[in-house]
Amino acid sequence: MEKHKPVKNILSISDLNYEQLFNVILPKCEKEIPFVEKRIPRESDPTKKVQLLFTEPSTRTRGSNIEAVELLGYRYDQVIGEEASALAKRESLANTARMFAKYNAGVIVARTKIEGAQKFMAKLLEKDECQCAVHNAGDGTNQHPTQTILDLLTLKRHLGRLDDLTIGFFGDLKYGRTVHSLLSALSYRSGINVVLVDTPETKLQKQYRELFPAVTESDEMEALVDCDVVYGARIQEERFDFDPIILARLRARFTVTSQLLNSLKKNVIIMHPMPYVQEFPPDVRKDKRIIIDDQAWCGVPVRVALLKLSFENLETKVFPEDRPDIVLDTIEDVSLAEYRLHKARKNEEENQYFYPIDCGTVIDHIPVSTGPKIKQFLIARGQLKNEGPVHLIDRIKKTRHEEKEVLILRNNFLEDRVKMAIVSLSPMVTFNEISGEKFRKIKANIPSKVYGFGKCPNKTCITNNDPEAVPTFTHTTAGSLKCWYCEKEFLRDEVI
Ligand code: NCD
């Protein structure tokens, strides 16, 4: 069984393990149902304060949090819209969060346009030793984990199971954050068949599709006929400029008509996080299989349970310290004379670029056309501390079919964290350091986290919106980099 780590923040489904999500959180939410149904007050502890920060509109998430706070007998304060706080005066989110904690908020429930903002606040507050947790109530197009927990509770209540389900999603799967979070959670379960009804404009990102061994994809709502669960997502028209003609076409396509309802399973459940626009026309809204009101109600027991849980675990430390975890492996450590002799014997073409320098670094095995990027990166980041020419040799024959590039940095040696950034861009490179008649060839492993280098290409990522947010990436198995904050995946050279 996975080790039970206390649950303090609710930031993203991918931060929670199976044990936390299904054996801790969900049973606690289920336990709250009878209390919420009977409206039984719980703790009555006005020393506990919840700060709501909603810089995007909300009816259900905000309303159910307030209802939960009142049933718990805690206090709350709310900031609705950016203009209601000093954020409108360009105060940073970091300082906003610090102030909330200073005024005794134990939990900040935040909804933002900025992606990764909640993770950033949670990490910052922990670093500042504030006992304050953060719940992500939706961050841009990224995640909405508390909605997913209430979606799971709804599934459990109506179907009695979370495995062996055929679940169909329709609508805006690209920007609909509730879909992303729910798919992440369902990927932990077994026997889940996913059906996606989308169009090129609303296509689910690869990283979520790949959570499942196979998904069925269609642009027709009729693909939903065999589903046990149908889950709709509103077109997120406020997030980007939709052509009105395309928008009208998408709206018409993603509508649950009475004709479609007739073709669906008799015992299907139809869910939607709401708000909906045209998805359910008035003539179908009363169909018993559309359980969206009960789904929205589940938000109250869920938020009661989550707030209680966070207050119980405020002392927990969650985030590891940020430091480059590069491991350097010295492959050769010989005298320069020895090295030259060895190379001369092999009569390698390489001699021509190792020979001319007697002090400095030769970065070898750079993939073709990556050399200029590394050179530019080192110069732009002021990493070449000593005077000395930087020389790029392009297109050297590596084997009969392969070519490489070499970068010569005369008189310069690189810090470990700079090596880490370069390796993250080009994993195959070696660093050859020549000084004091010594030659050292170093290979570096790919660090699990790239910290403090690169730039997230996503403009709405917190790292592009708060001066204290340090770019941080993790490597994916497919060889790309994933922003630790906004969770979007990019090619290595888009980032560094
Ligand atoms: C959703 C959201 O905010 O992501 N609503 C919700 O929280 N219940 C869905 C949406 O806005 O379309």
Side-chain angles (χ1 to χ4, degrees), residues 56-58 60-61 111 137-138 140 144 147 177-178 233-234 236 238-239 272-275 303:
E56 278 193 336
S58 170
R60 278 148 289 270
T61 309
R111 169 171 290 186
H144 193 343
Q147 174 70 38
R177 56 195 174 197
T178 66
R234 179 180 64 89
Q236 306 283 300
E238 72 277 27
R239 301 206 183 278
H272 192 298
M274 298 209 257
R303 275 133 191 161

Side-chain angles (χ1 to χ4, degrees), residues 170-172 199 201-202 221 233-238 242-257 276-281:
F170 73 86
D172 195 342
T199 63
E201 298 85 358
T202 64
M221 293 288 271
R234 179 180 64 89
I235 304 292
Q236 306 283 300
E237 57 191 280
E238 72 277 27
F242 262 122
D243 177 329
I245 297 170
I246 294 179
L247 191 58
R249 176 166 58 72
L250 294 176
R251 284 205 176 130
R253 183 177 298 259
F254 300 130
T255 298
V256 177
T257 60
Y276 67 81
V277 182
Q278 85 307 319
E279 293 93 311
F280 304 109

